[in-house]
Amino acid sequence: MQLNHYIDHTLLAAHATTLEIKKLCREAIEHKFYAVCVNSSRVKNAKEILEGSKVQLAVTIGFPLGASSTASKTKEAETAIAHGADEIDMVMNIGFLKDGKSDLVQAEIEKIKMAIGDKILKVIIETCYLSEDEIRFASNLVMRAGADFVKTSTGFGSRGASLKDVKIMKEMVGDQVKIKASGGIRDAETARKYIKLGVARIGTSSGIKIVS
């Protein structure tokens, strides 16, 4: 099990500087991580360093609350792709989900997936705010909407991923949609536990520590 191939090397802090983003990308190339994950304002900074490497560029959309309009999320995604993003990590509108507006939530995911074409779409359902039944429902909704991944967390909620959350998500989506666990994964032992549950990708700012 080569842990580096599962890692999205992540820096999403509001105070992250250009130099820190470029350092993140150089680290990802050095350690052969699968991807880096940055905020959408940092696409060009990251692409400049990653150009010509095998490291994928994942970009967050509607981050971290997911409560912005569908129009703004869609435009943000389109702009990110135009500037070189390979993958989009969007935040689901959790409030709409809890309002019972599942049709609007699904339509938003479908619209963004359509806007980015064959690029990878991950949908963050922010499990810390959901009941077990809501995690099942949200995971199923992401699958129905045609996204490529369902993702646990932003890392900015009340907690990050949990093994229990991932078990519930895996039971719901099986092999039809991949799972990304993110938030609070800081060591190799924990990373391996998630991978054994069927996680395809791990979002972490502790990637170097994990592989070392």
Side-chain angles (χ1 to χ4, degrees):
M1 183 187 295
Q2 293 182 287
L3 294 178
N4 57 321
H5 295 166
Y6 289 87
I7 290 175
D8 286 2
H9 195 36
T10 303
L11 179 55
L12 298 168
H15 52 76
T17 66
T18 299
L19 288 176
E20 288 171 329
I21 295 295
K22 290 183 175 182
K23 179 174 179 282
L24 180 88
C25 295
R26 293 188 185 100
E27 290 169 346
I29 293 169
E30 178 186 352
H31 293 280
K32 297 182 172 63
F33 292 137
Y34 192 95
V36 298
C37 187
V38 298
N39 284 305
S40 63
S41 62
R42 294 300 188 176
V43 180
K44 290 182 179 179
N45 297 147
K47 194 65 177 179
E48 178 186 339
I49 305 301
L50 295 177
E51 195 75 64
S53 78
K54 293 183 179 179
V55 179
Q56 300 294 289
L57 175 53
V59 176
T60 58
I61 299 301
F63 194 86
L65 302 178
S68 47
S69 69
T70 296
S72 65
K73 284 183 179 176
T74 304
K75 183 64 176 178
E76 189 179 13
E78 290 172 339
T79 303
I81 296 298
H83 290 163
D86 302 297
E87 305 183 350
I88 296 296
D89 287 37
M90 68 166 282
V91 187
M92 175 185 281
N93 192 314
I94 309 300
F96 279 5
L97 184 80
K98 286 182 169 289
D99 279 338
K101 298 176 180 177
S102 58
D103 54 337
L104 295 181
V105 178
Q106 182 171 336
E108 178 174 272
I109 298 167
E110 290 171 348
K111 185 169 185 178
I112 293 172
K113 179 59 181 172
M114 185 178 298
I116 68 172
D118 60 356
K119 302 297 185 181
I120 296 295
L121 178 62
K122 311 187 198 94
V123 181
I124 304 166
I125 63 174
E126 201 69 288
T127 53
C128 63
Y129 299 133
L130 304 180
S131 68
E132 291 184 14
D133 283 343
E134 286 172 332
I135 292 171
R136 291 187 183 92
F137 186 80
S139 299
N140 185 53
L141 192 151
V142 170
M143 180 170 59
R144 292 203 315 267
D148 303 283
F149 277 78
V150 58
K151 177 178 170 181
T152 60
S153 322
T154 61
F156 287 74
S158 56
R159 64 170 176 80
S162 78
L163 294 168
K164 185 176 182 180
D165 293 342
V166 170
K167 286 178 183 177
I168 294 169
M169 293 159 72
K170 186 66 176 174
E171 287 168 5
M172 184 54 60
V173 303
D175 295 325
Q176 294 187 62
V177 175
K178 294 178 181 178
I179 297 173
K180 177 176 173 179
S182 187
I185 302 170
R186 300 188 179 93
D187 60 78
E189 182 182 359
T190 304
R192 289 191 185 97
K193 287 178 181 178
Y194 280 102
I195 293 167
K196 286 177 182 177
L197 284 179
V199 164
R201 207 83 67 80
I202 290 171
T204 180
S205 58
S206 303
I208 294 173
K209 179 185 175 185
I210 287 171
V211 300
S212 300

